[in-house]
Amino acid sequence: MVLLAAAICTKQGKALVSRQFVEMSRSRVEGLLAAFPKVMNTGKQHTFVETESVRYVYQPMEQLYMLLITTKASNILEDLETLRLFSRVIPEYCQSLDEYEVLDNAFELIFAFDEIIALGYRESVNLAQIRTFTEMDSHEERMFEAVRKSQERDAKETMKRKAKEMQQAKKEGRKGRGGFGSGFGGGMSSQDYSRSGYPSMETQSYDSVPKSTYSQPSRSLGTSAMKLGKKNKDIDSFVKKIESEGQRVTNITAPRQSGMVAKTTGPATPQAPVHIKLSERVSISSGRDSGLKSMEVLGMMTLKINEGGYGKINLSIANNEDRTVQFQTNPNIDKRLFNEQSLIGLKGEGRTFPIGQDIGVLKWRFSSTDDSLIPLFINCWPSENAGSCDVNVEYELMQDYLELNNVVITIPVPSGVGAPVVGSVDGDHHYDSRKHVLEWCLPVIDSSNKNGTIEFSIPGHPDNFFPVHVSFTSPQTYCHIAVSGVSQLEDNHPAKFSTETMFTTDKFEIV
């Protein structure tokens, strides 16, 4: 016999799985399968039917047909025997004989079909052999998996044992050393910034000052860097080997940043013996027609002592904010001193800040529904025009003292209608066909370019262009809060300090 193709199809002639065993064009296979339901309407009670060129041998299976397409010269008895073997294979991989189950196991069925037929001729195999061949069972593989799992169990046990030893060593190290209270912790319930995403203030002990002094990290690459270099050499040698065999190897470039905005990490801020970091995150929800719904700014001040002689200090806080801002000090900070003199200092005498650790000392929160207080105002105005939409999006910097960097305004667009046609734009734009969004990208927004617009057209409905999402970073904080000075408690002399500020978006959307 010469078997041209084997297929599983519905009673309406829809092919679910098809495997051809001789050289045939796709159009010919599709034509033969499409012709099968037509020749079935003859009213004859047979399991095969012939046309001028081929023979269809089939077997009904509930709502499906197992169909073989052979030449007219093939042996009909061998065809029927092969058909029965095909029909017995299908239940081995499909729990139910329906369309979805066949599609889910299409590749397993094709692999099984290949074990039955080779180059149009049947192989001498039975159902048990087909099952064994497709499972590809290997004793060596089972042994390897057993060894690998045993090694993983041993590694987990070793890890647990080491963790217990480290915990025991920490407990022994804490013996004989006292703390003062529960350390930097606490919260403000629903308004205590529990959802702010800032690191929690953990328990610290400040009774003793470590005798080691701060030193700049070494710039030597070390062992880890040597390992990385070795890996790169292995990659280079592999590439050269591929090229020597006549294969062309192209350079792999880093994926493009979303919105074509270069978000490169700048050099680390040089840190003085006392380093202070002020960070804020803003969450904004605004309506497309009703204006600002909610805005919340959550701030955190962290302190890091880099040298041992600066553990006993006070921070002078400059609060130039005329808006209503809520403050919360760390439980270990003298709250009365902060309220009366705007100083950040520890409770009690003789206590010092820990060395080399980032400690949260102050939180603040600002919320408003006033449109004039929003950092960046976004207006998205879609207008329907003869089956299409003309969309105009504009921004306006509302706070002149801010400089916004890496601004990306993400506008959803309808799918399946192609890319939007951009008429004019201030800055750059990028259409992401996978996410179906248009990204409007502006490297910097400040007082020199307070306003900007983008105009584009695309088929759709006005609701298709919401919600609009906005992200940015800023080197200035939104609230006018700063550190004006640092003084040592022993002699009240000023201490050298450095500051780092950051203002970012947590969620900014126009719905």
Side-chain angles (χ1 to χ4, degrees):
M1 62 172 292
V2 178
L3 183 60
L4 303 180
I8 302 175
C9 61
T10 63
K11 290 189 176 181
Q12 292 75 29
K14 176 184 177 182
L16 304 180
V17 176
S18 177
R19 180 64 167 164
Q20 49 269 20
F21 303 101
V22 297
E23 194 70 27
M24 296 175 63
S25 65
R26 177 177 176 176
S27 58
R28 174 164 171 76
V29 174
E30 291 177 345
L32 292 174
L33 293 176
F36 173 65
K38 299 177 182 179
V39 298
M40 279 289 297
N41 297 329
T42 57
K44 297 180 180 179
Q45 300 297 321
H46 294 291
T47 57
F48 69 93
V49 61
E50 294 182 353
T51 64
E52 296 180 357
S53 57
V54 297
R55 175 187 295 150
Y56 296 99
V57 185
Y58 60 92
Q59 178 174 333
M61 303 181 68
E62 296 182 4
Q63 300 299 320
L64 306 176
Y65 279 116
M66 180 64 233
L67 175 64
L68 303 182
I69 303 177
T70 69
T71 61
K72 295 182 67 175
S74 64
N75 189 322
I76 185 63
L77 297 179
E78 292 181 1
D79 295 344
L80 294 174
E81 183 65 26
T82 304
L83 178 63
R84 281 191 288 270
L85 182 57
F86 271 96
S87 301
R88 292 172 59 194
V89 164
I90 297 176
E92 290 290 322
Y93 299 95
C94 301
Q95 297 180 358
S96 60
L97 298 177
D98 56 37
E99 180 177 344
Y100 299 103
E101 190 72 17
V102 171
L103 293 176
D104 288 341
N105 299 277
F107 286 102
E108 288 79 2
L109 292 171
I110 290 175
F111 295 151
F113 289 176
D114 287 343
E115 298 296 335
I116 301 175
I117 302 296
L119 300 176
Y121 295 91
R122 178 181 171 179
E123 296 285 341
S124 180
V125 292
N126 54 37
L127 187 60
Q129 290 174 324
I130 294 173
R131 189 184 304 112
T132 301
F133 294 157
T134 53
E135 288 177 356
M136 296 293 291
D137 192 22
S138 170
H139 176 71
E140 289 78 6
E141 182 181 3
R142 290 200 303 270
M143 292 297 296
F144 173 78
E145 290 293 334
V147 172
R148 184 178 62 83
K149 291 180 180 179
S150 176
Q151 292 175 345
E152 290 179 352
R153 286 194 299 268
D154 293 342
K156 290 180 180 179
E157 293 297 328
T158 303
M159 180 181 65
K160 292 179 181 179
R161 186 173 64 256
K162 291 291 184 182
K164 291 181 180 179
E165 293 176 358
M166 293 175 64
Q167 291 177 357
Q168 186 65 25
K170 289 181 179 180
K171 290 180 180 179
E172 294 177 355
R174 293 194 187 101
K175 290 181 180 179
R177 297 191 306 171
F180 59 88
S182 60
F184 284 87
M188 298 175 64
S189 70
S190 63
Q191 297 182 357
D192 293 348
Y193 323 142
S194 59
R195 60 184 182 277
S196 64
Y198 289 110
S200 61
M201 304 180 184
E202 299 179 354
T203 302
Q204 305 292 343
S205 177
Y206 307 132
D207 285 341
S208 61
V209 180
K211 299 184 181 299
S212 61
T213 59
Y214 173 78
S215 60
Q216 292 291 338
S218 173
R219 294 190 178 183
S220 60
L221 294 178
T223 305
S224 298
M226 292 176 64
K227 290 182 179 179
L228 290 175
K230 182 178 181 300
K231 183 177 180 181
N232 291 335
K233 291 180 179 179
D234 293 340
I235 295 175
D236 292 340
S237 61
F238 176 73
V239 171
K240 291 180 180 178
K241 184 177 179 181
I242 294 296
E243 290 177 342
S244 65
E245 296 176 357
Q247 297 292 333
R248 182 180 178 183
V249 181
T250 58
N251 293 328
I252 301 176
T253 58
R256 179 170 59 179
Q257 289 284 354
S258 174
M260 308 185 312
V261 177
K263 299 183 180 179
T264 57
T265 303
T269 303
Q271 296 188 4
V274 179
H275 184 69
I276 303 161
K277 181 179 180 181
L278 297 92
S279 56
E280 288 182 337
R281 299 173 66 179
V282 62
S283 298
I284 298 174
S285 178
S286 180
R288 66 186 77 174
D289 300 319
S290 58
L292 181 62
K293 293 183 177 180
S294 65
M295 180 178 73
E296 182 181 52
V297 179
L298 302 177
M300 168 80 79
M301 180 184 296
T302 58
L303 171 66
K304 182 179 181 183
I305 307 299
N306 292 321
E307 293 187 11
Y310 294 86
K312 298 179 180 181
I313 57 173
N314 279 342
L315 310 182
S316 299
I317 306 301
N319 181 10
N320 300 317
E321 187 61 63
D322 55 358
R323 297 166 292 196
T324 304
V325 179
Q326 301 174 1
F327 290 95
Q328 182 195 21
T329 58
N330 190 288
N332 287 321
I333 297 299
D334 192 335
K335 187 174 182 179
R336 182 176 179 181
L337 182 67
F338 173 75
N339 291 335
E340 295 179 356
Q341 304 181 38
S342 296
L343 294 177
I344 296 289
L346 291 173
K347 293 178 180 178
E349 297 180 358
R351 295 176 179 176
T352 62
F353 289 103
I355 311 301
Q357 299 182 25
D358 290 320
I359 305 300
V361 294
L362 180 66
K363 291 181 179 180
W364 62 90
R365 175 179 179 269
F366 171 76
S367 61
S368 177
T369 56
D370 187 351
D371 289 337
S372 63
L373 298 180
I374 194 170
L376 186 68
F377 178 75
I378 305 295
N379 183 19
C380 181
W381 194 281
S383 302
E384 290 186 279
N385 184 11
S388 180
C389 267
D390 297 330
V391 184
N392 184 295
V393 184
E394 62 178 350
Y395 75 82
E396 181 180 359
L397 182 66
M398 303 297 291
Q399 312 303 325
D400 293 346
Y401 63 89
L402 288 177
E403 176 188 307
L404 307 183
N405 299 328
N406 302 324
V407 182
V408 179
I409 302 173
T410 305
I411 309 158
V413 296
S415 59
V417 294
V421 179
V422 178
S424 62
V425 60
D426 295 323
D428 298 321
H429 70 279
H430 168 63
Y431 171 63
D432 191 334
S433 58
R434 298 179 60 184
K435 298 180 180 179
H436 307 296
V437 295
L438 177 64
E439 294 179 339
W440 183 16
C441 313
L442 300 111
V444 179
I445 296 178
D446 55 19
S447 57
S448 63
N449 60 338
K450 292 180 56 176
N451 303 87
T453 59
I454 182 174
E455 298 178 359
F456 64 91
S457 300
I458 188 173
H461 187 270
D463 291 337
N464 298 141
F465 306 99
F466 295 94
V468 178
H469 294 275
V470 184
S471 64
F472 59 78
T473 62
S474 176
Q476 297 95 15
T477 56
Y478 177 84
C479 297
H480 301 287
I481 299 170
V483 178
S484 59
V486 178
S487 60
Q488 301 194 39
L489 293 180
E490 296 178 353
D491 51 14
N492 204 29
H493 284 177
K496 186 178 181 180
F497 70 97
S498 57
T499 59
E500 179 183 355
T501 58
M502 179 178 59
F503 177 41
T504 60
T505 54
D506 188 18
K507 183 182 71 172
F508 190 163
E509 61 181 7
I510 297 91
V511 297

